[in-house]
């Protein structure tokens, strides 16, 4: 049996896939170094390992156990791939060696910490061999055969590997059972018709043991090398490992932590779970996608299209292991080569996000515990009284009768229809919460949602074919099966009935992991392979049914074991479809549980956070991670959901939250109110000012969402996306960008009046004053009194802004102000997308305007590339040009002289332009 290491020139058992599409020819990995060490160092490594183990044995009191075989000592610690990942077992030498693996004890670590695995694969552990490889129109098909069984039940002896060279920057590799069909994720993915002609990657295979080696042609960087550990493919345990070209890895959600993952023996579990965001826990959504930065600034991404319970083990080799307990190994690899392009390519597979209505980008206000519609209305009136911007008012579950969906508390919320009417009169919107758990205890005939769902057979069922009953807010509940198309129709009818009384504008779908206050069901879960699989990933609660339904529950498409991580996506899809049919406008939906392609149907909020400074800080890597996942409409509960906020914390959080793409202040019951109106005049003013700043930037933000919808650009963006060549940006997650142009540096600590942030190389302009900062790429200390948020505009940018109002509707009628931030070469560019803000498919139906702005040689040009009637309603009032080196003698608008002002900080301003957005124009300064 061959060793698990990169093949050398003396090991020719490999196949290079030629780019031209010729038949595969045997070849060596001529450029690939051995996986662990060069051959000249191998003996030294063995000796050093042996001596080290002997010394440790003398000082450890014997905890190392018997001496390991020489082949085991060959494997350096960082390259030990775990052979016994079960968390519920104390691994002994006997257990380990029963699997045919190496056992070397390591010093014990602190509780909860992972370290070097004691039980790991030897270099000669049996795996699959590649028995045949044949060309197809799109790539290749291979047969993999395992001659020795692995240690999980129902090993699959023969596997089929399909390789498709889909585009020059996208490779698709799928491995599945060669003889029998298996569950695959019911996600629409693109089907290519021809093979890529000039891929920027080269693909190699090891025959025995089977392995994939993927390289970037330009640099020779090895992006994947799966020869480092054996492939295991049994019915309920699938595992494949790879080396990584660097330690800079991002994605793999949903988790709380830094944007950059630690590779220090870190396991990330993907299994949707209702739990307050906590480090190391599997949270609400599952996103099996990572982005990795390579040395030199290139980037690539890997997506495993698999919805089963999964864990991804990271180790400092650097290396990664995928473990999933069902489905198939369906990989997409995206070659970038820059991080923005990787995310665009990922979304070409999972789908681009929906274009939100413009009001979705306004400020939203909510709390659980308003207690009544009248108290909710009082909050709205107070916001209006202080002229604080607000676009949407929300209610949590307290509007319902007994917490039952599609009902209204006729006592406390009797005036809700009148409140919604009043909101609409003021150009505001109403959003309400819905849960997927449907109360099952109302007398027959008294609660149509359950009675009708039961009659049509639309709930998750037990293995006995009866509705699975769990417990959520209303008490005992059944769970809607959104994998059933008939459930979508029932969901629509329920929403139509409620809309007739309360004409809501958007929906907040919560508890859709699905959450359950009991484990499994009221009767527990039955014994069997779904609820007690051979291997359970490191899920919170150590059981697949912890705080959710039984994995054995039956759904229309498949068993819940396969569909659990898709539950929130399927509900969002049903909800978006219903909203479109009811309102005939763009749907607005915020979902707690998410899966790849969710952005097509909903946004996301980061869940039930706490009113703590730490939580505010963690919200930034949270929203940036969801930018990577193709869900740009994302934010955290501003000021924190649970616990009691402070005035200082809430002020700082409102400043940060004003730059979440989705900005909502939300609070739990039995805590003091935290909307802007309840604080001191100074704090209230600071909150109002930063919201007005957000509203002034709505044209810019809306245009960013257009680019996200059109081609998968990110909205909130990590700094390293724009500066991939600057390694100092790769770990930054306490600042972020809007698009390429606006840098946000919030205060994330109490009791300070300054903030230190990284300013990438170049000229940056203070958003408020226009004064310039020239940076060599350095950390700078900036003044940050309580009323101030640091914002900087990148040189070479043009931001479309607008005089802000208290709603998006009012704001959209005000004149535009274009802010030009000149580069060191006195150039700049920007753009603006404009439509009616709510109609369906305006871009697809050509009902939009698109304007390009450009500056070169002291001439500003506005060019209308596409026009609609909406643009005739808007005027460009002001042009502010930052970085004009010397005072102009005159300014010409379409050749006619115009008054202007010029300040000592090199800001040129021209007011009263009065130019229609629908007409191009030029402005020159001499």
């Amino acid at each position: 049996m061959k060793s698990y290491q990169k093949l050398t020139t003396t090991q020719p058992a490999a196949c290079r896939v030629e780019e031209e599409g010729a038949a595969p020819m045997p070849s060596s990995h001529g450029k690939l170094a051995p996986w662990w060490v060069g051959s000249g160092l191998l003996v030294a490594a063995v000796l050093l390992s042996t001596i080290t183990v002997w010394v440790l044995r003398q000082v450890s009191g014997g905890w190392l156990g018997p001496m390991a075989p020489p082949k085991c000592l060959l494997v350096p610690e960082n390259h030990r791939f775990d052979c016994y990942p079960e968390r519920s077992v104390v691994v002994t030498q006997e257990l380990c060696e029963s699997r045919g693996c190496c056992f070397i004890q390591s010093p014990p670590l602190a509780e909860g910490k992972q370290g070097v695995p004691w039980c790991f694969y030897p270099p000669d552990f049996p795996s699959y061999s590649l028995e045949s490889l044949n060309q197809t129109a799109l790539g290749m098909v291979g047969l993999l055969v395992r001659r020795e069984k692995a240690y999980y039940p129902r090993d699959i002896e023969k596997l089929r590997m399909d390789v498709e060279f889909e585009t020059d920057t996208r490779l698709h590799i799928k491995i599945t059972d060669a003889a029998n069909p298996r569950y695959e994720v019911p996600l629409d993915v693109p089907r290519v018709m021809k093979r890529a002609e000039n891929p920027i990657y080269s693909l190699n295979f090891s025959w025995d043991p089977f392995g994939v080696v993927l390289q970037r042609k330009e640099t020779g960087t090895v992006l994947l090398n799966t020869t480092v550990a054996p492939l295991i493919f049994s019915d309920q345990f699938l595992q494949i490992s790879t080396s990584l070209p660097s330690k800079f890895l991002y994605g793999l959600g949903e988790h709380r932590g830094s944007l950059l993952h630690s590779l220090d023996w870190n396991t990330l579990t993907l299994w949707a779970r209702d739990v307050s965001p906590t480090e190391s826990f599997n949270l609400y959504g599952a996103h099996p996608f990572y982005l990795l930065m390579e040395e030199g600034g290139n980037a690539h991404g890997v997506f495993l299209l698999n919805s089963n319970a999964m864990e991804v083990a990271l180790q400092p080799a650097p290396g990664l292991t995928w473990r999933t307990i069902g489905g198939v190994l369906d990989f997409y690899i995206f070659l970038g080569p820059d991080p923005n392009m990787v995310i665009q390519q990922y979304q070409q597979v999972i789908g681009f996000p929906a274009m939100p209505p413009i009001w979705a980008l306004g400020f939203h206000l909510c709390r659980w515990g308003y207690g009544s519609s009248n108290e909710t209305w009082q909050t709205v009136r107070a916001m209006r009284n202080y002229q604080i911007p607000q676009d949407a008012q929300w209610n949590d579950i307290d509007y319902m009768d007994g917490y039952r969906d599609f009902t209204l508390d006729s006592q406390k919320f009797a005036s809700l229809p009148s409140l919604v009417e009043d909101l609409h009169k003021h150009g505001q919107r109403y959003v309400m919460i819905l849960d997927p758990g449907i109360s099952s205890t109302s007398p027959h005939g008294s609660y149509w949602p359950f009675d009708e769902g039961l009659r049509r057979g639309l709930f998750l069922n037990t293995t006995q074919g009866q509705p699975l009953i769990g417990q959520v807010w209303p008490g005992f509940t059944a769970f809607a099966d959104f994998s059933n198309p008939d459930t979508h129709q029932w969901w629509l009818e329920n929403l139509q009935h409620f809309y007739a009384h309360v004409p809501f504008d958007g929906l907040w779908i919560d508890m859709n992991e699905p959450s359950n206050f009991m484990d499994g069901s009221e009767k527990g879960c039955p014994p069997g392979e779904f609820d007690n699989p051979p291997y359970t990933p490191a899920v919170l609660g150590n059981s697949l049914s912890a705080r959710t339904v039984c994995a054995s529950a039956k759904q229309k498409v498949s068993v819940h074991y396969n569909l659990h991580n898709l539950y929130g996506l399927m509900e969002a899809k049903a909800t978006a479809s219903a909203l479109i049919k009811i309102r005939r406008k763009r749907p607005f939906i915020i979902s707690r549980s998410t899966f790849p392609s969710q952005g097509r149907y909903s946004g996301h909020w980061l869940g039930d956070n706490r009113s703590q400074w730490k939580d505010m800080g963690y919200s930034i890597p949270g929203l940036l991670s969801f930018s990577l996942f193709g869900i740009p409409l994302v934010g955290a509960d501003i000021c924190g959901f649970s616990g009691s906020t402070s005035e200082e914390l809430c002020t700082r959080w409102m400043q940060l939250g004003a730059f979440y793409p989705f900005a909502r202040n939300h609070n739990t019951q039995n805590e003091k109110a935290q909307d802007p109106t309840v604080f001191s005049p100074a704090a209230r003013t600071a909150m109002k000012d930063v919201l007005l700043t957000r509203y002034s930037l709505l044209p810019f933000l809306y245009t960013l969402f257009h680019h996200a919808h059109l081609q998968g650009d990110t909205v909130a963006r990590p700094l390293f996306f724009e500066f991939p060549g600057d390694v100092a940006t790769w770990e930054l997650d306490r600042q972020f960008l809007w698009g390429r142009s606006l840098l946000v540096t919030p205060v994330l600590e109490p009791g300070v009046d300054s903030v230190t942030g990284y300013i990438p190389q170049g000229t940056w302009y203070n958003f408020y004053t226009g004064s310039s900062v020239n940076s060599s790429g350095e950390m700078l200390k900036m003044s940050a009194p309580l009323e101030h948020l640091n914002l900087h505009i990148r040189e070479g940018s043009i931001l479309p802004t607008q005089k802000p109002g208290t709603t998006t509707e009012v704001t959209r009628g005000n004149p535009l102000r274009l802010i030009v931030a000149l580069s060191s070469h006195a150039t700049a560019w920007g753009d603006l997308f404009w439509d009616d803000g709510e109609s369906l498919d305006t871009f697809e139906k050509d009902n939009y305007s698109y304007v390009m702005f450009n500056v070169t040689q002291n001439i500003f040009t506005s060019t209308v590339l596409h026009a609609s009637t909406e643009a005739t309603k808007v005027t460009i009032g002001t042009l502010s040009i930052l970085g004009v080196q010397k005072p102009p003698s005159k300014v010409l608008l379409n050749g006619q002289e115009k008054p202007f002002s010029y300040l000592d900080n090199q800001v040129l301003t021209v007011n009263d332009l009065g130019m229609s957005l629908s007409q191009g124009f030029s402005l020159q300064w001499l």
Side-chain angles (χ1 to χ4, degrees):
M1 187 61 66
K2 305 297 188 298
S3 296
Y4 291 92
Q5 55 184 8
K6 295 180 187 173
L7 302 177
T8 67
T9 52
T10 59
Q11 293 170 295
C15 167
R16 174 176 292 280
V17 180
E18 299 296 338
E19 300 78 34
E20 291 76 16
M25 299 291 291
S27 73
S28 66
H29 291 274
K31 295 182 180 178
L32 295 180
W35 167 232
W36 297 317
V37 286
S39 57
L41 297 176
L42 198 55
V43 175
V46 178
L47 287 171
L48 184 59
S49 295
T50 306
I51 293 167
T52 301
V53 171
W54 183 86
V55 172
L56 286 173
R57 193 176 305 283
Q58 306 310 306
V59 300
S60 67
W63 52 257
L64 284 176
M67 178 71 82
K71 68 178 182 180
C72 299
L73 298 174
L74 279 173
V75 185
E77 285 190 348
N78 287 349
H79 299 273
R80 294 177 182 172
F81 286 84
D82 200 346
C83 176
Y84 218 112
E86 283 84 349
R87 298 295 184 91
S88 58
V89 178
V90 176
V91 182
T92 64
Q93 182 168 357
E94 183 181 9
L95 286 172
C96 179
E97 291 179 352
S98 71
R99 292 187 171 183
C101 290
C102 295
F103 184 81
I104 298 178
Q105 275 183 265
S106 299
L109 298 176
E111 187 176 352
K113 294 283 288 182
Q114 294 174 257
V116 181
W118 293 4
C119 184
F120 58 94
Y121 295 106
D124 59 353
F125 191 92
S127 184
Y128 288 86
S129 60
L130 179 58
E131 294 292 306
S132 65
L133 190 65
N134 297 300
Q135 292 287 328
T136 65
L138 298 177
M140 285 165 291
V141 61
L143 176 66
L144 311 182
V145 177
R146 175 179 274 281
R147 308 208 185 281
E148 294 184 46
K149 284 194 171 296
Y151 43 84
Y152 285 108
R154 297 186 300 283
D155 233 11
I156 296 173
E157 180 187 354
K158 294 182 179 180
L159 302 176
R160 175 189 172 107
M161 175 183 67
D162 288 284
V163 178
E164 294 184 353
F165 301 94
E166 294 195 338
T167 73
D168 289 345
T169 56
R170 185 173 85 224
L171 175 66
H172 186 191
I173 301 175
K174 183 164 78 170
I175 301 173
T176 187
D177 189 333
N180 301 295
R182 291 178 62 79
Y183 164 76
E184 297 187 28
V185 181
L187 190 70
D188 293 330
V189 292
R191 300 295 178 195
V192 298
M193 304 307 294
K194 68 172 188 174
R195 175 177 177 149
E197 295 180 358
N198 298 294
I200 66 172
Y201 48 85
S202 62
L203 183 64
N204 298 268
F205 295 102
S206 165
W207 290 83
D208 187 9
F210 165 73
V212 173
V213 179
L214 178 69
Q215 287 179 278
R216 184 182 297 281
K217 280 185 183 176
E218 181 186 15
T219 60
T221 303
V222 177
L223 309 182
L224 297 177
N225 179 1
T226 70
T227 68
V228 297
L231 167 66
I232 296 179
F233 201 123
S234 63
D235 185 37
Q236 289 182 273
F237 185 88
L238 291 70
Q239 177 176 277
I240 190 167
S241 301
T242 181
S243 64
L244 300 171
S246 88
K247 65 178 183 179
F248 293 95
L249 183 140
Y250 315 83
L252 299 174
E254 181 177 6
H255 298 94
R256 169 189 266 205
S258 58
L259 180 64
L260 176 68
H261 286 300
S262 166
L263 269 59
D264 188 17
W265 306 107
N266 180 22
T267 297
L268 302 168
T269 307
L270 281 63
W271 183 249
R273 166 67 194 245
D274 172 8
V275 62
S276 295
T278 306
E279 298 88 318
S280 80
F281 289 177
N282 49 294
L283 302 182
Y284 310 106
H287 293 272
F289 166 82
Y290 71 79
L291 180 144
L292 188 138
M293 292 298 295
E294 305 158 28
E295 186 177 342
N298 286 330
H300 71 274
V302 177
F303 171 42
L304 173 54
L305 179 51
N306 182 294
S307 63
N308 289 88
M310 181 189 308
E311 62 190 20
V312 185
L314 307 174
Q315 63 190 78
L320 175 150
T321 298
W322 299 93
R323 293 189 199 104
T324 182
I325 60 172
V328 302
L329 296 176
D330 192 359
F331 288 102
Y332 289 86
I333 302 98
F334 312 101
L335 275 287
D338 73 53
N340 288 293
M341 295 172 72
V342 171
I343 302 307
Q344 290 174 349
Q345 292 156 12
Y346 175 42
Q347 291 173 88
Q348 286 168 8
V349 171
I350 63 171
F352 297 124
M355 185 69 186
I358 184 69
W359 63 266
L361 307 184
F363 179 61
H364 301 249
L365 192 56
C366 184
R367 80 164 300 172
W368 179 21
Y370 281 120
S372 70
S373 49
N374 286 339
E375 187 178 335
T376 309
W377 207 338
Q378 287 174 10
T379 301
V380 173
R381 290 185 180 120
M383 291 286 285
R384 290 178 193 155
N385 182 53
Y386 288 114
Q387 296 184 302
I388 300 172
Q390 182 190 359
D391 260 81
Q393 180 61 53
W394 297 38
N395 277 124
D396 207 317
I397 56 175
D398 42 342
Y399 80 87
M400 301 176 183
D401 179 9
Y403 297 150
R404 296 178 303 164
D405 277 356
F406 312 112
T407 67
L408 189 64
D409 185 327
S410 60
Q411 301 294 315
K412 297 176 181 176
F413 280 82
S415 63
L416 184 59
S418 299
L419 165 58
V420 174
E421 182 182 5
D422 177 67
L423 288 167
H424 291 166
K425 284 180 180 177
H426 286 85
Q428 295 172 303
R429 305 301 197 279
Y430 180 70
V431 179
M432 65 185 196
I433 195 171
L434 279 178
D435 294 337
I438 302 298
S439 175
S440 61
T441 55
S442 299
H444 181 71
S446 66
Y447 185 47
W448 191 86
F450 179 74
D451 293 341
E452 190 64 14
L454 187 65
R455 187 184 73 79
R456 300 187 199 179
L458 304 180
F459 299 121
L460 271 65
N461 284 336
T462 66
T463 55
Q464 305 302 310
Q466 298 299 314
L468 183 147
I469 302 300
Q471 185 175 7
V472 201
W473 295 115
F476 290 113
T477 56
F479 296 86
D481 177 11
F482 291 104
S483 77
N484 187 343
D486 295 340
T487 305
H488 293 215
Q489 177 62 28
W490 164 85
W491 193 245
L492 167 65
E493 291 169 23
N494 278 295
L495 287 167
Q496 286 173 327
H497 295 157
F498 195 82
Y499 187 84
H501 299 286
V502 181
F504 51 85
D505 301 283
L507 289 170
W508 169 22
I509 50 177
D510 192 12
M511 308 290 286
N512 54 355
E513 293 73 30
S515 177
N516 186 358
F517 294 167
M518 49 179 57
D519 292 349
S521 77
E522 61 175 342
K523 298 178 180 178
C525 297
E529 61 188 15
F530 294 126
D531 293 300
N532 298 283
Y535 180 81
T536 300
V539 297
L540 178 63
N542 302 313
S543 166
L544 297 183
S545 63
R547 291 276 292 192
T548 189
V549 299
C550 298
S552 57
K554 294 180 177 180
Q555 297 189 233
K556 178 75 171 181
V557 166
S558 186
V559 68
H560 191 73
Y561 181 89
N562 293 326
L563 300 180
H564 174 83
N565 281 339
L566 298 172
Y567 194 90
L569 170 64
M570 290 178 166
E571 184 190 15
K573 193 172 182 179
T575 306
S577 173
L579 276 175
I580 290 170
K581 290 174 180 174
I582 291 169
R583 299 185 69 249
R584 304 291 176 183
K585 295 175 182 176
R586 283 177 225 164
F588 171 75
I589 300 159
I590 295 294
S591 175
R592 191 167 73 178
S593 190
T594 58
F595 189 80
S597 81
Q598 189 91 21
R600 296 172 59 189
Y601 311 105
S602 84
H604 172 64
W605 97 104
L606 296 175
D608 295 340
N609 61 4
R610 304 165 188 85
S611 297
Q612 297 175 4
W613 291 89
K614 179 178 77 169
D615 289 61
M616 178 170 64
Y618 273 132
S619 71
I620 299 176
L623 71 94
L624 295 178
S625 291
F626 275 87
S627 290
L628 271 58
F629 300 147
I631 307 175
L633 189 64
V634 60
D637 283 345
I638 297 170
C639 300
F641 172 70
S642 66
S644 187
T645 193
S646 68
E647 181 164 291
E648 181 190 11
L649 173 60
C650 200
T651 302
R652 293 301 194 188
W653 209 328
M654 284 290 293
Q655 290 168 346
L656 168 59
F659 286 84
Y660 294 156
F662 165 59
R664 180 186 71 161
N665 179 317
H666 180 44
N667 191 9
T668 190
Q669 61 179 353
N670 303 321
E671 295 288 353
K672 62 184 181 183
Q674 61 186 35
D675 64 85
T677 68
V678 303
F679 293 102
S680 70
R684 187 172 62 238
T685 300
M687 295 178 186
K688 174 182 175 180
D689 287 348
V690 77
L691 288 176
L692 288 170
T693 299
R694 177 190 179 89
Y695 275 59
S696 75
L697 284 159
L698 284 173
F700 173 55
L701 180 60
Y702 193 62
T703 301
L704 292 178
F705 269 95
H706 166 68
H707 290 302
H709 171 62
L710 190 64
Q711 62 192 31
D713 285 357
T714 53
V715 176
R717 190 171 299 176
L719 272 71
F720 75 84
F721 270 50
E722 289 300 313
F723 303 93
D726 182 355
V727 179
T729 65
W730 292 10
E731 296 188 44
L732 298 179
D733 60 9
R734 294 172 70 82
Q735 299 166 268
F736 58 97
L737 293 159
W738 267 12
R740 57 177 289 273
S741 306
L742 188 65
L743 176 62
V744 183
T745 307
V747 172
L748 303 174
E749 297 170 348
V752 299
D753 59 6
S754 66
V755 62
T756 300
Y758 187 77
I759 307 296
Q761 184 174 8
T763 301
W764 296 79
Y765 296 90
N766 183 304
F767 174 81
Y768 309 99
T769 67
S771 296
S772 63
V773 176
N774 294 302
S775 174
S776 59
E778 56 198 305
M779 300 295 292
L780 293 179
K781 186 177 181 180
M782 294 168 266
S783 176
L786 189 59
E787 70 278 5
H788 183 70
L789 171 69
N790 277 278
L791 298 173
H792 289 88
I793 307 173
R794 185 180 180 183
E795 65 171 303
S797 305
I798 300 177
L799 301 190
T801 71
Q802 203 160 19
K803 181 182 177 183
T806 53
T807 64
T808 53
E809 189 173 289
V810 171
T811 301
R812 281 172 57 80
N814 290 337
L816 291 164
R817 175 193 174 210
L818 306 179
I819 305 175
V820 178
L822 293 178
S823 72
S824 56
H825 303 293
T827 60
W829 71 271
D831 61 348
L832 175 63
F833 176 82
W834 194 271
D835 61 10
D836 70 5
E838 62 178 6
S839 293
L840 292 163
D841 303 324
T842 57
F843 179 79
E844 291 76 7
K845 295 175 181 176
D846 280 342
N847 295 326
Y848 70 95
S849 296
Y850 184 69
V851 185
M852 285 288 295
F853 308 117
N854 191 64
V855 171
T856 184
Q857 296 180 338
N858 292 5
I859 300 174
F860 170 93
T861 307
S862 173
T863 306
V864 180
L865 298 181
H866 195 280
S868 69
T869 55
E870 288 295 324
T872 62
K873 304 173 185 177
V874 188
T875 60
I876 298 175
T878 302
L879 194 60
S880 296
I881 305 168
L882 318 181
V884 177
Q885 297 294 318
K886 57 183 181 179
S889 59
K890 59 182 174 179
V891 170
L892 303 177
L893 174 63
N894 290 338
Q896 301 296 312
E897 199 163 337
K898 278 292 277 186
F900 65 91
S901 67
Y902 181 83
L903 301 178
D904 291 343
N905 63 351
Q906 301 183 337
V907 176
L908 168 65
T909 303
V910 187
N911 292 311
D912 302 320
L913 293 175
M915 299 301 299
S916 171
L917 181 61
S918 62
Q919 295 179 319
F921 69 93
S922 66
L923 185 141
Q924 182 178 16
W925 59 99
L926 304 170

